[in-house]
Amino acid sequence: MTVLSAALLATVALTGPASATALPTVPPRAVDISDIRGYPRQSTLPLWPDNPADASIPIGVLPYDEIAPKLNALQRASDRVSARVAGRSAGGYDLYAVTVTAPESRTEARQQETWKRLIEDEPARAQRDRKLLAGYKTPLFVNANIHGNEWEGTDAALRVIEDLATNRSPEVAALLRRNRLVFNITSNPDGRVAGTRANAAGYDLNRDLTIVAQPETNLIRDLIIDTKPIITLDLHGYVNPTLLHPSTPPHNVNNEYDLYIKHGLPNALAIEEGLRGLGYAETQRARIPFRDDEPGVWDDFPPIYVPSFAMLQSSIPYTIEAPLNPRGSTLTPAERVRRSGINTDVHEVAIRTSLRYIQDHRAEVLHDQAEVYRRGLAGEPLRDIPDGYVPGWGPEDNYNTTFPRSYVIPTGTGQRSEPAAARLVDLLIGSGGRVWRAKKAFTAGGKSYRAGSYVVDMHQPKRGLVNSLLEPGADITDRVGDLYAGPAAWSQGLTWGATVDVLWNTLPGVHLERTYDGRAEGTLPAGRSDLRLDLRDAADLLAVNSLLAKGVAVYRLEDGSVVVPGTPANRKLAGAEVKARAVSFEPAPRGWRGTPLDRVVVGYIGTVEERDTLADLGFEARAVTAATLAGTLTEDVDVLLVADNVDLANLTAENRAALEGFLARGGGVVGLGTAGASFSNAAALLTVTATAAASLASGVANIVNNGGPVTTSAIPHTFISQPVWFTHLGANVEVEQSYAADPLLSGWWATDGANGQAAAANQASIVRGVSVAGNGVVLFGTDPTFRLHPKGLQSQLGRAVLWATRR
């Protein structure tokens, strides 16, 4: 697997969502100290053509094409400013990272890097290092404009940069000798230009920090990890009055929350005081959810947000929601500019106040950042935080977990999917965690593991981050009646398709070597046998679709696996897939019989999530709507994936004829949620009653796989977001998967009522059948496409598509 250094990221164009095998960029071994350069590190940023249609212009903020010229001018004017193109957005725009600090010689920069590493690697020593405490430049990170139509954070950042670059006062000079400020100037230029919340790929970037499916979030993650900021500011709009963290419960159970809230609340109060000083009627008070809201209204529970992720990196994070919405056709041009001006002032106050807080509490915030890492390395339990620890802290705020001693991610026969294991390891390392590989075979917890298996020693600096990704999660149903947004549990350890074993009290007694990337090795059996491939991961589906595209004969067996005849030419092509995707073929069973497959084209009625999941599986996907059935549901479309509601009763005659023609020629249907079930019923395919839980219900569910072409070899848990279950099944409907008697493992889902867990217990979560007319149909009550998160469910969707083409 290719490993890109931070330096290379400055020149690599990142142009779209990561595919199933294009795993997130992971950091290499630490850059050699001798390679560290001093500051400034200036570059001439490429210019973009003037764009009169930029949605920033009517708001009165800086259009995207004027950002590079401004940064270039500031670099020419000041040796305190270093700007670079640090990546590319999904839409192809440059992403700008800017560092502001006093000039440093190479020797000084190397010393800063040495101290920064010491804080994480030897935190107890760092806490006592007088030279470090006196000379370390404390970092502040500002992430601006992650939602494209929340513009003003960019302008506030540029205003602060310009002042620090040009202000020659002794106070500013001293400030920059003591600090580094790092700015992600516009983390969503696609949305800034278009006036949209999402990026050009259609994703809300502030929901992507644990998946890192988008290039923009890849950069945000890397900047946080590399900068190691004391305070992180994520600049948003629009909530009136200004909203700023800290948040309501539920709190992520893996955080050293005592070390956060002791600083998070006082600095929030200081920002509020600074806002009053602006003198605007609209800024005379702030909304601090921890102080002002009921539990669940604005929580920091899932690590999908920039601040929640940053807290797991030992930063003191804030979402800052500026108060005045400048959008809307009812506002005059002057009012838009007035509002955006106030919002810019609000964000500037947040930046300057936070910088001042770091200076006023320097010794304590440095000690506490290192203390997070020290506790992790020492394996100390999370602290019980007493009521009244800070004003407003009570029993409702106490969320914690117990850390295991280690995790093992097996390789070889003990591993369900080698590509899934490598993907998970890359996520852990890329997110700042540490992973080791066993140099020899070993036994632990009553199981034998081969050499090369991954071991995650939980005595490590960022154990909270690692555990947040690997542990099952917590059932918070009885603790909170609301959440700002799901998911209420995520667990890449359970939902990404890899086998992950927990060792509660043991670190394997084998020599371990730290690894810096996940490595997967596939297999191709020797001899002349036909080749069977069990479809356990998106990588397996990619291999199948790649072979089909090359004209290889592929057959689907009744259990959903596939067989490739073992001709010399086929074996050569299969070997290439083993090398490219680490898939594992085995000898096909003797006397096998299968259904021949052909290249599959999928029309989808849904969102970018369906589009990109199908792409990750290697299917050709075409967007379809009720209004475009006639133009897109052409003869070569084999399967229709239905994830959004379609009103079949009100189709035009032309579109109805197209749908009827598709079904008449045996087109398959895969449906997601209540939308898929409604389509199936209305089109007289399969008869089911679909019931959905409340919209808030989400997390990791316990399920029972009954086997069959969709769920043979499926993972033993599933991911849910507003789970659906199927009852009153028609005569031709078979149950492939059901919710367990106790459906919720972790997350939030009301226990009782018509939409609660009790109603879903033992009911079908995936069904399939053949319609009277011969259409293959599969219906999912789980969510295999949610924000590209549930990697372990993607193969189930791919298998369903292949089965639905059976006619």
Side-chain angles (χ1 to χ4, degrees):
M1 183 170 302
T2 303
V3 178
L4 300 181
S5 69
L8 284 175
L9 282 174
T11 58
V12 173
L14 303 173
T15 56
S19 72
T21 55
L23 304 177
T25 300
V26 297
R29 298 174 186 269
V31 176
D32 193 282
I33 292 293
S34 63
D35 294 330
I36 301 296
R37 298 186 292 118
Y39 280 94
R41 303 173 186 174
Q42 296 181 331
S43 62
T44 302
L45 306 178
L47 302 184
W48 287 77
D50 180 63
N51 180 6
D54 190 317
S56 308
I57 296 172
I59 307 303
V61 294
L62 199 68
Y64 175 80
D65 59 71
E66 293 184 19
I67 294 175
K70 186 171 186 68
L71 290 173
N72 285 337
L74 288 172
Q75 288 184 104
R76 289 191 297 269
S78 175
D79 58 4
R80 299 170 173 176
V81 179
S82 302
R84 64 189 175 98
V85 174
R88 290 280 180 85
S89 70
Y93 287 103
D94 291 334
L95 300 170
Y96 306 120
V98 176
T99 300
V100 181
T101 193
E104 299 171 18
S105 67
R106 175 174 287 187
T107 299
E108 290 169 334
R110 291 174 183 173
Q111 181 61 72
Q112 290 295 322
E113 183 64 25
T114 299
W115 282 333
K116 183 171 69 175
R117 297 180 187 184
L118 190 68
I119 290 170
E120 181 175 335
D121 296 340
E122 299 183 64
R125 178 182 163 192
Q127 289 171 327
R128 302 188 302 269
D129 190 315
R130 293 183 178 179
K131 291 184 178 179
L132 182 155
L133 297 175
Y136 180 59
K137 287 186 170 182
T138 45
L140 172 75
F141 175 58
V142 177
N143 190 61
N145 197 203
I146 191 170
H147 290 148
N149 59 356
E150 300 167 12
W151 292 269
E152 295 90 347
T154 294
D155 296 76
L158 289 168
R159 185 189 293 174
V160 171
I161 292 169
E162 182 170 14
D163 178 62
L164 295 178
T166 58
N167 188 322
R168 311 316 296 183
S169 70
E171 292 79 13
V172 169
L175 184 74
L176 296 181
R177 285 195 298 271
R178 301 276 281 175
N179 297 274
R180 280 186 186 166
L181 290 80
V182 177
F183 298 86
N184 191 10
I185 297 297
T186 169
S187 54
N188 184 2
D190 300 352
R192 184 179 187 84
V193 172
T196 59
R197 180 182 178 92
N199 70 347
Y203 289 92
D204 184 334
L205 299 175
N206 202 36
R207 304 292 185 272
D208 192 47
L209 265 294
T210 55
I211 308 303
V212 202
Q214 301 301 302
E216 299 91 339
T217 46
N218 200 322
L219 175 62
I220 294 168
R221 181 185 68 173
D222 290 351
L223 288 173
I224 291 173
I225 292 170
D226 181 65
T227 301
K228 211 180 302 295
I230 297 293
I231 289 179
T232 296
L233 300 174
D234 197 32
L235 305 183
H236 289 256
Y238 304 98
V239 177
N240 195 358
T242 300
L243 181 143
L244 52 124
H245 282 188
S247 295
T248 66
H251 308 301
N252 188 293
V253 297
N254 292 282
N255 280 310
E256 309 284 347
Y257 218 83
D258 61 315
L259 299 176
Y260 160 69
I261 196 66
K262 65 188 287 191
H263 300 295
L265 183 57
N267 187 44
L269 296 172
I271 294 172
E272 181 180 46
E273 186 61 32
L275 297 180
R276 290 193 191 99
L278 290 173
Y280 302 116
E282 297 94 335
T283 62
Q284 291 309 294
R285 69 183 182 93
R287 175 183 162 194
I288 302 173
F290 176 81
R291 180 191 67 185
D292 299 329
D293 292 342
E294 293 298 314
V297 172
W298 197 285
D299 62 87
D300 53 13
F301 188 62
I304 57 177
Y305 314 112
V306 171
S308 302
F309 177 81
M311 196 186 306
L312 290 167
Q313 301 288 335
S314 193
S315 186
I316 304 163
Y318 295 87
T319 289
I320 310 291
E321 295 274 356
L324 302 177
N325 191 341
R327 305 184 296 249
S329 59
T330 61
L331 300 178
T332 66
E335 177 61 14
R336 288 196 188 95
V337 171
R338 186 189 78 87
R339 292 187 177 197
S340 66
I342 293 175
N343 293 336
T344 303
D345 290 347
V346 164
H347 287 317
E348 182 181 2
V349 165
I351 297 169
R352 294 188 183 277
T353 304
S354 297
L355 186 58
R356 185 168 60 250
Y357 186 89
I358 294 173
Q359 302 319 298
D360 291 346
H361 303 86
R362 175 184 169 82
E364 189 176 8
V365 294
L366 269 175
H367 176 279
D368 289 347
Q369 183 176 66
E371 181 66 8
V372 172
Y373 303 140
R374 189 201 66 76
R375 292 179 185 178
L377 280 164
E380 296 180 359
L382 291 169
R383 301 296 194 265
D384 289 324
I385 307 176
D387 294 352
Y389 178 74
V390 297
W393 185 271
E396 71 279 4
D397 290 295
N398 265 314
Y399 282 79
N400 54 52
T401 192
T402 300
F403 297 108
R405 183 60 184 86
S406 62
Y407 291 93
V408 179
I409 304 174
T411 59
T413 56
Q415 179 51 250
R416 177 184 175 276
S417 169
E418 294 282 348
R423 182 189 302 113
L424 180 60
V425 168
D426 279 347
L427 180 72
L428 293 171
I429 296 170
S431 299
R434 301 183 179 190
V435 181
W436 291 260
R437 297 196 84 172
K439 297 291 287 181
K440 296 181 178 179
F442 64 96
T443 300
K447 293 183 64 173
S448 296
Y449 298 93
R450 79 170 191 177
S453 291
Y454 302 100
V455 176
V456 183
D457 182 355
M458 288 301 290
H459 287 192
Q460 63 171 291
K462 296 179 181 177
R463 63 170 179 182
L465 180 282
V466 171
N467 205 53
S468 191
L469 297 177
L470 291 181
E471 74 171 352
D475 183 347
I476 61 171
T477 302
D478 294 335
R479 294 207 60 181
V480 63
D482 196 10
L483 282 173
Y484 175 69
W490 43 95
S491 187
Q492 283 85 340
L494 292 182
T495 65
W496 269 34
T499 301
V500 181
D501 295 333
V502 184
L503 298 177
W504 284 102
N505 302 305
T506 305
L507 178 68
V510 63
H511 178 61
L512 300 174
E513 181 178 67
R514 190 170 171 190
T515 188
Y516 294 87
D517 66 342
R519 303 166 201 165
E521 297 179 1
T523 57
L524 185 72
R528 300 180 179 179
S529 67
D530 295 335
L531 303 173
R532 175 180 179 267
L533 180 62
D534 197 6
L535 308 181
R536 298 186 172 196
D537 187 79
D540 301 313
L541 272 299
L542 282 169
V544 168
N545 280 315
S546 175
L547 291 171
L548 288 170
K550 294 170 184 173
V552 175
V554 181
Y555 298 84
R556 180 184 53 75
L557 305 187
E558 286 205 2
D559 68 355
S561 64
V562 300
V563 168
V564 175
T567 66
N570 285 354
R571 279 182 160 270
K572 182 177 180 180
L573 292 171
E577 296 301 322
V578 170
K579 184 176 181 180
R581 311 187 199 281
V583 297
S584 293
F585 289 92
E586 61 184 33
R590 291 187 177 185
W592 63 267
R593 298 182 65 180
T595 301
L597 295 175
D598 202 350
R599 190 81 170 126
V600 179
V601 177
V602 183
Y604 70 92
I605 301 173
T607 69
V608 296
E609 296 171 358
E610 285 72 47
R611 176 197 70 192
D612 293 339
T613 300
L614 289 169
D616 283 351
L617 294 166
F619 293 111
E620 180 182 344
R622 299 180 186 172
V624 181
T625 69
T628 64
L629 287 167
T632 53
L633 209 57
T634 52
E635 288 284 340
D636 60 340
V637 175
D638 304 290
V639 175
L640 183 63
L641 174 61
V642 181
D644 276 350
N645 288 312
V646 183
D647 185 359
L648 298 186
N650 289 305
L651 293 178
T652 65
E654 184 182 25
N655 286 316
R656 175 174 292 279
L659 178 60
E660 290 174 348
F662 169 78
L663 295 175
R665 63 177 182 267
V669 173
V670 176
L672 304 186
T674 56
S678 296
F679 181 92
S680 177
N681 287 326
L685 299 174
L686 300 187
T687 301
V688 299
T689 297
T691 304
S695 60
L696 178 63
S698 61
V700 180
N702 296 311
I703 46 91
V704 177
N705 289 312
N706 299 324
V710 178
T711 63
T712 295
S713 303
I715 60 176
H717 298 92
T718 195
F719 178 82
I720 52 173
S721 179
Q722 193 171 23
V724 170
W725 54 99
F726 306 112
T727 57
H728 302 97
L729 308 180
N732 57 337
V733 178
E734 297 185 53
V735 178
E736 284 249 358
Q737 182 190 88
S738 301
Y739 293 107
D742 182 12
L744 187 68
L745 174 66
S746 57
W748 191 98
W749 186 357
T751 303
D752 299 318
N755 306 103
Q757 295 182 52
N762 301 311
Q763 301 297 342
S765 54
I766 300 177
V767 299
R768 66 176 170 87
V770 179
S771 73
V772 173
N775 310 97
V777 182
V778 182
L779 303 178
F780 284 79
T782 60
D783 198 334
T785 65
F786 180 86
R787 297 180 191 152
L788 306 186
H789 164 71
K791 308 295 186 187
L793 274 62
Q794 289 182 328
S795 60
Q796 297 172 30
L797 182 65
R799 294 167 75 118
V801 168
L802 293 182
W803 184 85
T805 65
R806 66 191 303 274
R807 289 296 174 265

